Structures are given as C-alpha cells and as structure tokens.
Amino acid sequence: MLDQIIEEAGNDNHKPAFVKIPKQWLPGFIRWPIKLFLLPFIWLDVLAQAIAKALIRPPFKKVGACKKRGNCCHYILIKKSKGFSDKLDLFWHTQINGFYRRDKALHEVDGMKIHLMGCRHLKKDGTCGIYHFRPMICRMWPRIEYFGQPQILKGCGFRAEKR
Ligand code: SF4
C-alpha cells in the first residue's frame, strides 16, 4: 500500500489526501529551547558528514534541484523501533520535529515496519517554514550513502548519478 501511495505521489498532478493535523500538545516554550539547544549538534553532524564525504566520496552524487513539490515533507517514512523506544521516537517526531502521523496504520517496506508521517511546517508554496531549524532527517534527504541504492522519491527534482 505504501509503495502505491509513493508511486502516485510521484505524478505531477498528485494532491496528497487530506489529513486532519492534530495539535502539538507540547508547548512552544518547551519545544523551541530544545530545538535551539540541539541546533549546534546538528550543524556539527552535518559538517562532519560533509567532511567525510569530501574525503571519501560515496559512489553516487546528488544532482538537480528541489522542485518544491513537498512530497518529501508530505511522506516521511520513519522506521518503527522496538518497544518503548518507538513511543519515544513518536514523541520526538511529533512533538519536537513537528511531524504528524498521516494514518495510524503501520506500513511495510523491505520487511521493515514504517510510520508514515507528514510535517506541520511545510508551507503552501512547498517550502519549509523552519528551514534553518529543520531536523537532521530533513537535512539528510535525499539519502545518498556509501552503501545501498540512493533513496529519492519519484518526481523529485534531485537525482543520483554515478561518479
Ligand atoms: S521541517 Fe521543513 S524540510 Fe523538514 S519535513 Fe518539515 S517542512 Fe519539510
């Protein structure tokens, strides 16, 4: 089912199904200091990864540009963790990152259980409402790693090319 959703989302005229977005119950005066505290660590992580990739190049490189279709923010795939850590993950993604569950169902991709989420910060013009404060998961997308195939959604303005 998730494959079908993602496949359809890749079509140019795709409109995501309406989802009633639940309110975040964690107040902003708690959420934002946590985000600000973590920001330098996110920058350091991004910098370390950029240096590592400059020194040892992955087999693929990212080319192209964002088309601002918003699909990577409408369809965020979060791997389900085991036991209580899944509850913590869900808390983190929904209350700190600002994501919401598009449905309560668990989806399956390559044998993994997946939560399908959207993001409250996506603006109508397809841009990010908290660009400079966006979470790590957003900064790392599309995923082009050393091993495995690059992960890019169908219809995305980016593509992966072999070096
Ligand atoms: S935080 Fe920004 S980049 Fe990340 S999913 Fe939300 S709108 Fe997209």
Side-chain angles (χ1 to χ4, degrees), residues 73 76 99 119 121-122 128 130 134-135 138:
C73 311
I76 306 164
F99 302 163
C119 180
H121 302 298
L122 179 64
C128 173
I130 54 157
R134 68 199 189 286
C138 309

Side-chain angles (χ1 to χ4, degrees), residues 3 8 17 19 24 26 29 46-48 51 65 76 85 93-94 101 123 126 133 138 140 146-147 150 155:
D3 287 349
E8 283 171 9
V19 174
Q24 280 172 292
L26 193 70
F29 68 84
V46 170
L47 180 66
I51 292 171
I76 306 164
S85 52
H93 287 302
T94 57
R101 294 180 77 179
K123 297 201 290 187
F133 303 96
C138 309
M140 292 292 113
Y146 288 97
F147 304 103

